[in-house]
Amino acid sequence: LLPAVASAQTAATAYPTKPVRLMVGANAGGGTDIVARMLADKFADQMKGTFLVENKPGASNTIAADLTAKASPDGHTLLVATNTGQAIAPHLLKLSFDPIKDLTPIGLVVSVPNVLVVGPGVQAASVKELIAAMKARPGAFRYASSGVGSTQHIAGEAFDAATGVKGMHVPYKGSAQAHLDIISGSVEMMFDTTSSAMGQIRGGKFRPLAVTSARRSAELPDVPTMIEAGGLKGFDMTTWYAVYVTAGTPPEIVARLQAELAKAVALPDVQARLRGLGGEPGGMSVAEFAAFNAREYERFGRLIRDAGIRPE
């Protein structure tokens, strides 16, 4: 038994033995990419290895998840994912992997609220004014998302259902191009993640009308919640970012990654950066996050069925 324990510990200590790929299911510059690059830097410092971010956008963030699920189970392929790929897309797309069984959770990094933003060409200064404008001009308002089945898309559908308006969904492969089109006026609005939208909000290019979380964001203290702004109850839409590894990875490497992630997320500069994105840094144990992950999978499945969302 002792030699086996020793060799397991040696494997964890020796890890990584080659460059580690951090797979990201969205374009460079978006929220997931920002989080992944920050983690790659910290992991490289902490584990004295090479950690490379690989962007594989498309299919509602599931291309990156698919590659991770099918990678060699040795801990050298990690997935930095959001609930888009892990809890929403599986109910909309036919996947060739099981996001619950084929990926092992390493831990939660941060949860960020989505924020309803409008471009400079939209006159509405509040959610109530926006709803009135949308009712006055049915079908004239377009809302961007970072893809079919993203939290931005689901939030838009939930908004339509709760208010009786009908916006036109315009999916993109990530937030960066959507931002350009909102600023130019090609689309009017977006339920973007605060992590992605904060730069444009601070730069005065986006006007935030409401956050879609149960309470206000510390980074946007003057922006009301959906309940405060429009009386829309139960409108809780946050995007969470988490790290996964290929299922079947040796438990000692999984444990090492869990410990290193917890260490990285606890660093004061990482905490400050995550809060700067409008987020709440993750404070769950691995077991709590695994249970939360399963609950979110069920919750979004219900939301999608109730809203009658179909793949486009």
Side-chain angles (χ1 to χ4, degrees), residues 187-209:
V187 287
E188 286 72 27
M189 55 196 271
M190 186 174 187
F191 288 86
D192 204 4
T193 52
T194 52
S195 54
S196 168
M198 205 57 96
Q200 305 291 4
I201 292 170
R202 290 206 179 105
K205 300 278 182 20
F206 284 177
R207 190 182 322 122
L209 300 186

Side-chain angles (χ1 to χ4, degrees), residues 23 26 75 77 131 143 186 206 224 235 250 263 286 310:
M23 310 303 289
T77 306
I131 293 168
Y143 67 91
S186 308
F206 284 177
F235 202 100
K263 192 158 95 180
V286 177
R310 300 265 180 281

Side-chain angles (χ1 to χ4, degrees), residues 12 18 27 98 104 158 166 177 183 187 202 231 252 260 264 267:
K18 59 184 181 184
N27 283 323
D98 183 321
T104 297
K166 188 68 191 126
Q177 184 60 46
I183 293 163
V187 287
R202 290 206 179 105
E252 57 278 6
E260 298 289 356
L267 292 168

Side-chain angles (χ1 to χ4, degrees), residues 143-234:
Y143 67 91
S145 81
S146 63
V148 175
S150 60
T151 56
Q152 295 105 317
H153 175 205
I154 304 291
E157 294 279 357
F159 181 74
D160 285 358
T163 57
V165 299
K166 188 68 191 126
M168 185 200 280
H169 177 220
V170 183
Y172 292 81
K173 274 195 175 162
S175 296
Q177 184 60 46
H179 288 184
L180 294 176
D181 282 3
I182 291 168
I183 293 163
S184 74
S186 308
V187 287
E188 286 72 27
M189 55 196 271
M190 186 174 187
F191 288 86
D192 204 4
T193 52
T194 52
S195 54
S196 168
M198 205 57 96
Q200 305 291 4
I201 292 170
R202 290 206 179 105
K205 300 278 182 20
F206 284 177
R207 190 182 322 122
L209 300 186
V211 290
T212 62
S213 47
R215 58 177 193 270
R216 291 192 183 201
S217 164
E219 288 300 306
L220 296 167
D222 301 330
V223 178
T225 65
M226 274 290 186
I227 295 167
E228 293 170 330
L232 303 176
K233 288 190 174 54

Side-chain angles (χ1 to χ4, degrees), residues 71-308:
S72 177
D74 56 12
H76 290 86
T77 306
L78 303 178
L79 174 68
V80 181
T82 69
N83 39 349
T84 294
Q86 296 311 109
I88 299 172
H91 302 287
L92 290 168
L93 306 174
K94 274 199 166 30
L95 302 177
S96 62
F97 70 100
D98 183 321
I100 301 289
K101 290 183 185 149
D102 297 337
L103 294 164
T104 297
I106 295 300
L108 179 68
V109 180
V110 65
S111 292
V112 300
N114 286 43
V115 56
L116 169 55
V117 293
V118 293
V122 176
Q123 300 299 312
S126 69
V127 171
K128 286 186 171 157
E129 285 180 18
L130 179 67
I131 293 168
M134 290 178 80
K135 284 186 171 167
R137 294 168 58 212
F141 282 75
R142 293 150 295 192
Y143 67 91
S145 81
S146 63
V148 175
S150 60
T151 56
Q152 295 105 317
H153 175 205
I154 304 291
E157 294 279 357
F159 181 74
D160 285 358
T163 57
V165 299
K166 188 68 191 126
M168 185 200 280
H169 177 220
V170 183
Y172 292 81
K173 274 195 175 162
S175 296
Q177 184 60 46
H179 288 184
L180 294 176
D181 282 3
I182 291 168
I183 293 163
S184 74
S186 308
V187 287
E188 286 72 27
M189 55 196 271
M190 186 174 187
F191 288 86
D192 204 4
T193 52
T194 52
S195 54
S196 168
M198 205 57 96
Q200 305 291 4
I201 292 170
R202 290 206 179 105
K205 300 278 182 20
F206 284 177
R207 190 182 322 122
L209 300 186
V211 290
T212 62
S213 47
R215 58 177 193 270
R216 291 192 183 201
S217 164
E219 288 300 306
L220 296 167
D222 301 330
V223 178
T225 65
M226 274 290 186
I227 295 167
E228 293 170 330
L232 303 176
K233 288 190 174 54
F235 202 100
D236 190 356
M237 187 63 65
T238 55
T239 299
W240 45 261
Y241 298 81
V243 180
Y244 298 80
V245 70
T246 314
T249 296
E252 57 278 6
I253 291 177
V254 171
R256 169 94 193 273
L257 284 165
Q258 288 165 342
E260 298 289 356
L261 177 63
K263 192 158 95 180
V265 171
L267 292 168
D269 62 324
V270 172
Q271 291 267 320
R273 184 86 193 274
L274 294 175
R275 291 193 196 283
L277 297 173
E280 275 291 313
M284 292 183 196
S285 71
V286 177
E288 285 168 342
F289 175 62
F292 169 78
N293 186 47
R295 281 199 308 277
E296 285 282 274
Y297 182 86
E298 296 302 329
R299 178 171 86 94
F300 278 106
R302 278 196 307 277
L303 265 172
I304 287 161
R305 287 191 297 277
D306 292 350

